[in-house]
Each structure stands twice: as structure tokens, then as C-alpha cells.
Amino acid sequence: CRVAPCFWRPSRWGGRSTLASAATQRGKLVAGSLSMNPEEPVSSSAILSICIPTRNRVDTLLSALATALELGDDIEVVVLDTGDEEGAQDRILCEFGSDPRIRYSYSPEPLSFAQAFDAAVALAQGEYVTIIGDDDGILPSALVHARWALANGIDAVTPTLPVSYNWPNFRHRYYGASD
């Protein structure tokens, strides 16, 4: 499912996450980059940071990464891996090489859903930040909207179209079966 995400400018909305900053200072997050030279600083020229927390779902993550990287060069994709399966970073390298737009970080300690999203946002360096699930994709218009927001001094953008997710054999509490 490709989404039209909301995104915001962290510098205008209270800054980066204090939870993830504290976790990083305590050494619980291992930040890195998929560049061939790990010492190379990550470019902060990204207009849009796309944060993708993941746990033990590298197959769906690869698809989410592919849709994000289609957007263009002035993005960064922050992957925060909290999984206990080995090889996610290797699979990303195998699929996308050392694409400098991908920033991979690993947390050896399990994080809650909210903590993982919070930590991923704290690692983002783009002017605007959005979050997608590791089983989602992002619409190509997301970067176009971020550029428009930047040019017009807009701090946050959210879509007005409601989104509904359905899975096979899903049964809604009030509306019944989805098929």
C-alpha cells in the first residue's frame, strides 16, 4: 500500500525526540550509514526524511525502501532496525548498494512501537520528516509536496483523504468482513 503521508518540520514543532536522543547518548542505538565509508558524514541537504522503523520484516522493508528511493535525490531514508534476526543490513546493501540516501541504525534492545518511531525521527536530518511502516510504500508526490511546503513556508502537511487498510480474511468490529 502506498501512502500519502503527513510530514512536519521538526525544527518548528519542538525539535527532535528527546527519548531517542537520550537513548543514543546511552549507546542503545547504533547509528550508521550504508555508504562504503562509514565515517563519511551523512548529507543534511535532504528536504524529506522518510523514517521506517522495522522489526524482523526485511522482505517488506525492501519494498518500502524501493518506493522511497524512487522519489529522488533530495531525500533520506532512516531505517531503524530493532529486530533480532541477523542480516537485514546485508540484505539492504545487496539490494541497494551503498546508496547514501539510506541511513541504517540498529537497536540491540527491543523498543516499543512508539519508541521505535520516536527514535527513527530523532535520527532524521531532513528539513521535513515523515514516518511509514515497513510494509508501506510512499506516493511519488510526497517529495513534490515537501518542496512546495518548503517554498511556501509551511511547517506541516497532512492529507485529507482518509485511508483504510484491509488484509485477507480481515473482519472489522463494526462492519464485518472486508471482502
Side-chain angles (χ1 to χ4, degrees):
C1 167
R2 287 194 184 208
V3 295
C6 62
F7 52 87
W8 66 98
R9 188 181 269 174
S11 61
R12 304 275 175 92
W13 288 74
R16 308 288 172 180
S17 162
T18 55
L19 169 71
S21 297
T24 303
Q25 290 170 1
R26 289 192 307 266
K28 292 184 179 179
L29 294 179
V30 181
S33 172
L34 290 178
S35 67
M36 294 306 267
N37 180 1
E39 301 301 318
E40 180 182 318
V42 177
S43 171
S44 61
S45 64
I47 293 174
L48 182 62
S49 293
I50 303 161
C51 299
I52 310 175
T54 189
R55 179 170 175 77
N56 299 335
R57 297 190 339 166
V58 70
D59 290 330
T60 59
L61 171 65
L62 294 176
S63 178
L65 272 169
T67 66
L69 294 173
E70 289 174 4
L71 296 183
D73 291 333
D74 43 1
I75 63 153
E76 73 168 349
V77 183
V78 177
V79 175
L80 178 67
D81 182 3
T82 62
D84 49 21
E85 295 177 351
E86 294 185 19
Q89 186 172 10
D90 293 337
R91 296 262 319 264
I92 294 168
L93 275 168
C94 183
E95 186 78 21
F96 301 105
S98 59
D99 192 318
R101 297 173 295 169
I102 301 174
R103 296 187 55 221
Y104 176 88
S105 296
Y106 176 74
S107 173
E109 294 184 21
L111 298 175
S112 72
F113 187 73
Q115 289 171 322
F117 276 84
D118 197 36
V121 168
L123 296 170
Q125 296 178 355
E127 183 71 25
Y128 292 95
V129 176
T130 191
I131 305 168
I132 65 171
D134 61 4
D135 60 348
D136 290 328
I138 189 164
L139 289 173
S141 60
L143 185 58
V144 172
H145 293 120
R147 287 180 182 138
W148 174 85
L150 183 61
N152 290 284
I154 306 295
D155 293 333
V157 173
T158 186
T160 57
L161 179 65
V163 177
S164 175
Y165 298 96
N166 292 311
W167 293 266
N169 301 320
F170 173 75
R171 193 159 180 80
H172 191 277
R173 181 180 199 176
Y174 300 108
Y175 305 114
S178 64
D179 43 337

